[in-house]
Each structure stands twice: as C-alpha cells, then as structure tokens.
Amino acid sequence: MKKIKLALLIILSVIILAGCGKSAKEEFFDYTKKNVTENSSNDISMTIKDIKLTADMKDSPEANVMITQLKDIKVTGSMQHDVSEKATNTKLNIEALGQKIPLEFISKNDDMYFSLDIFRGISKIASQFNSELPSDEKTLSAFDGKYLKLSDADTLEIDSKSATNLTKEFQKEVSNYFTSLDEERFTKENDVVTFKLTKKDVVVLAEKFNTLSKSKKEYKEFIIPDFDEMIKNLPKALDAKFNLNTKTSDLAVALTSTFDKKNEGFIDSIEVLYNYKPNDKQVAIKLPVKKEIVNVKEIEAILAPYLSDELDEELDGDFNMADDEFKELVKELEKEDFSSFSAAESDELLEEYEPLLTEKQYKTIEKIFKNK
C-alpha cells in the first residue's frame, strides 16, 4: 500500500507545478498550474501500444497469447476537478479479458470514496482463472451503487491530516525540482511542447519523498522501510515523454519501461500511451449519500459466508504450504522490519499463518517475528 501511495504522489505531483512566461518549459508549467487552479474536465484514455518479449520467449505460444490479452486492455473515462468545492470525480471503464469494469473515485477535501460497482466485473474475470469470487446475484447486488469511504481510518489505516500535509510539502519539493531543470529538456515544435521524464528523475523524487517522510514524527508512517530494495526493483529504464499541445491543451504521455534480463521475466519492454483531452462536460460533483456508503466491516459481513466456507475447505483438506512456497515466504518476511510491532500484533500475524504451516514451518516464522 505504501509503495502505491508513493507512486501516486510522484505522478500526481508532476502535474502540480508552478511557472509563468513564454519559454517551452514555462508554457508546460503554465498548463499544469491552470489544471490545478481552475475548474477542468478531461477525457482520458490508456492503451498498451507495444510489448516486446525477451529473445528466449519470442516463440512461446503461451507468452504470445498472454501478450495479446494484455494488448487488448483499454481504459477510457473522464476526470473532473471543481476548484471551489475542492472536489474531483474520476470515472473509468476498463476493458480486459472480454469484460467491462467500471472504476470510480470521488473526493472532496480529505474524503475519498471508491465505487464498489467494480465487484461484478472482477468476479467474472476471476472465474476465468478458476479463482472464484462470490457470483450469486444476492451477493453482487449488495455492492451495486455502494461506495467504500477510503479516508476512514479502518480502511487505509493512515492519518488523513498527516497525509494531506505531507502531500502539500512534497508538491513544493517537486515544484522546486522541476523549476531547477535545464531549459534544454523542454522543446517546442509548432504548437507542441515536449518534455521527457527519466528514471533518474523518478529516483530523485522518490528519495525526496522518503527524506521528507523522515523529517517529522507525524510523517513516519509513510516512510518506505524497504526503500533501497524498491528502487533496486524499478525497471532498468523508465522514460515518460510528455507532448502538450498548447493550442488545444491536449496532453499525450508515452511511458516506456525496459526490464532487466536478470529478473527472469518474459517481457523485455512495454510502452503505454495516456491521453488527456479537455471536454465541456463540467457538471456538479455529487458525493455519495449516507445510505450508499459502506465500511470495511460491512463488506466483510457480506463476504463472510463465502470466505468461511472457502477456509473450511482448505482446512478440511489438511492444506499446508509447499516447501518452495515457504522458502519464498521466509525470504520476503526476512526483508521486512517488524521492530515496531507489538507482541499482540506479532501474535495476530502468527495466528493468520498457523493454519497454513506445518509445526516446523510455524516455529521458523515465529522466530522471525520474535527476533525482529
């Protein structure tokens, strides 16, 4: 979750930059500042332009089938920003594996709501991989038209006020960083301003975020404990090319990731295209009403009958984790920092793992938790 929050903060903060003037660099920042300080409504889309397989996997039928399925993934939708109400509404439609999945986020001030209409589509996709989720109409209809309030403490387990303050400070850091970039990195041809973001920029911004998280006690929950490992696991190359049409305000972003062969993956590189186009669909952003909002406990109650049956089946089958899976689990756990965990929290984690482990495996995991 913290890695996701870091990535989102960096990407969103690139858009929240200040500037004025007539150079290509300043024109780019004029556009980004306008999008934040004025009401806006944009059509957005995402497509996968190209995926290249590694040399040893080019002739693999299974890999090529998977590549074809990935290339078919499309995302379309809209993003609306109401400055006076401090509200945003993002609506997306994801086309994947023959299914159309709606995705919606609504936010106002520090509150954010996530539409649970997505559950039907996810359930259908999961069934294609024999990973069943509840698919009966009674369960599915319980999620229709409902929203999960993400800003609730029991949902994200973070202090929303601290998150807001950290975001504001980080945006200043990002603004200062981009203001310091050389003019030569911004070029203009006809009405189009081009700017390239590199892996080096992403790493610098990530380091600034982590340093800022360590600067105040209220931000410590956002520190990335495995930061160096996360940076190490970034793609070998990461390039984002921004093309801004200053006449139409259309923004096209091409993100290319190239992976290291030593990671033993089957994808050599992937290029994803994002497009943002202004529209005239500005309407009042409506927040969910009380009867449409559910919390995590209510969701757990809806899924409880299914989840308990699934767990009973596993236990009845005397399920234990395979040795190779257990070795991977140990490797991952040894990377984590459990020093801040209380004895009660450690015991709770152990209870979760216990049904899946042999007595010997359990003692190994117990030792990891107790010694951290």
Side-chain angles (χ1 to χ4, degrees):
M1 176 62 75
K2 288 186 178 180
K3 290 181 182 179
I4 294 174
K5 288 187 289 187
L6 170 61
L8 287 174
L9 280 171
I10 290 175
I11 293 170
L12 290 175
S13 294
V14 169
I15 304 301
I16 305 177
L17 307 171
C20 58
K22 298 297 180 181
S23 70
K25 172 182 173 181
E26 290 165 338
E27 281 192 83
F28 184 86
F29 291 149
D30 274 345
Y31 164 83
T32 57
K33 181 180 180 181
K34 182 179 179 180
N35 261 294
V36 174
T37 59
E38 298 180 12
N39 290 350
S40 62
S41 184
N42 295 278
D43 291 322
I44 56 182
S45 66
M46 185 280 287
T47 56
I48 298 177
K49 181 180 180 180
D50 190 31
I51 302 177
K52 288 184 171 62
L53 290 168
T54 55
D56 58 327
M57 295 296 288
K58 285 183 178 179
D59 297 324
S60 167
E62 294 84 359
N64 278 285
V65 168
M66 185 174 292
I67 292 301
T68 300
Q69 292 177 329
L70 289 173
K71 284 185 176 180
D72 286 340
I73 295 175
K74 296 179 182 178
V75 179
T76 56
S78 63
M79 180 183 295
Q80 187 173 316
H81 183 207
D82 188 324
V83 176
S84 61
E85 293 294 325
K86 296 182 179 180
T88 61
N89 187 3
T90 302
K91 292 183 177 180
L92 302 175
N93 284 300
I94 305 170
E95 296 181 37
L97 301 175
Q99 301 297 326
K100 290 186 177 181
I101 305 173
L103 185 65
E104 181 182 13
F105 288 94
I106 304 174
S107 67
K108 184 174 182 178
N109 296 317
D110 294 335
D111 291 331
M112 179 178 283
Y113 305 88
F114 174 65
S115 171
L116 297 178
D117 287 343
I118 191 175
F119 195 85
R120 282 182 179 270
I122 291 177
S123 179
K124 290 179 180 179
I125 288 179
S127 66
Q128 296 180 29
F129 294 93
N130 297 318
S131 178
E132 294 185 4
L133 287 174
S135 57
D136 60 284
E137 185 58 29
K138 181 179 179 182
T139 302
L140 294 178
S141 61
F143 292 102
D144 292 342
K146 301 296 184 181
Y147 292 82
L148 174 65
K149 190 174 182 180
L150 295 179
S151 46
D152 283 344
D154 63 344
T155 303
L156 292 182
E157 298 180 348
I158 63 173
D159 184 332
S160 59
K161 184 178 180 180
S162 295
T164 300
N165 292 339
L166 174 61
T167 300
K168 288 179 180 178
E169 287 199 47
F170 181 56
Q171 287 167 357
K172 291 179 183 178
E173 290 282 345
V174 174
S175 178
N176 292 336
Y177 176 72
F178 279 92
T179 300
S180 70
L181 295 178
D182 292 337
E183 295 280 351
E184 289 75 15
R185 292 187 61 177
F186 299 80
T187 60
K188 184 175 182 180
E189 184 174 349
N190 298 322
D191 295 318
V192 179
V193 173
T194 299
F195 163 62
K196 293 182 180 180
L197 187 74
T198 68
K199 178 181 176 179
K200 181 180 178 181
D201 296 313
V202 173
V203 172
V204 170
L205 292 173
E207 289 172 341
K208 287 181 178 294
F209 173 84
N210 218 36
T211 299
L212 190 59
S213 299
K214 295 176 180 178
S215 67
K216 295 181 181 179
K217 187 177 181 180
E218 64 177 293
Y219 298 158
K220 68 177 183 179
E221 62 182 313
F222 299 98
I223 297 172
I224 311 300
D226 53 348
F227 180 80
D228 292 337
E229 188 68 20
M230 184 196 71
I231 296 299
K232 182 180 177 182
N233 290 330
L234 285 173
K236 182 174 68 174
L238 186 63
D239 299 286
K241 183 179 180 180
F242 296 79
N243 286 323
L244 169 66
N245 188 312
T246 56
K247 190 173 183 179
T248 65
S249 291
D250 292 0
L251 176 65
V253 183
L255 177 63
T256 304
S257 302
T258 304
F259 301 95
D260 200 322
K261 293 182 176 61
K262 69 181 181 182
N263 291 334
E264 299 181 358
F266 64 93
I267 295 178
D268 179 70
S269 65
I270 180 169
E271 183 179 1
V272 183
L273 302 181
Y274 302 86
N275 286 284
Y276 304 81
K277 185 179 180 66
N279 61 43
D280 55 0
K281 302 174 184 176
Q282 190 82 26
V283 295
I285 297 175
K286 295 182 179 180
L287 298 180
V289 297
K290 187 175 181 180
K291 66 179 182 179
E292 296 173 331
I293 300 172
V294 297
N295 56 41
V296 172
K297 291 182 179 179
E298 290 173 302
I299 293 175
E300 290 175 345
I302 294 172
L303 297 177
Y306 169 81
L307 296 176
S308 60
D309 289 345
E310 186 181 62
L311 182 58
D312 287 344
E313 288 177 9
E314 288 182 351
L315 295 178
D316 289 343
D318 195 26
F319 175 83
N320 285 126
M321 190 176 292
D323 288 340
D324 56 341
E325 292 177 323
F326 180 70
K327 288 178 182 177
E328 286 299 316
L329 173 63
V330 170
K331 189 184 299 183
E332 290 301 317
L333 289 176
E334 287 178 337
K335 295 178 184 177
E336 299 294 333
D337 180 9
F338 298 107
S339 59
S340 62
F341 278 48
S342 66
E345 289 173 325
S346 296
D347 290 340
E348 186 176 340
L349 278 173
L350 283 169
E351 286 179 11
E352 291 181 11
Y353 281 111
E354 187 173 12
L356 310 177
L357 307 174
T358 64
E359 185 178 348
K360 183 178 180 181
Q361 290 173 338
Y362 178 81
K363 288 181 178 179
T364 301
I365 298 297
E366 183 181 35
K367 188 175 181 180
I368 293 175
F369 286 149
K370 299 298 183 183
N371 290 343
K372 289 286 185 177

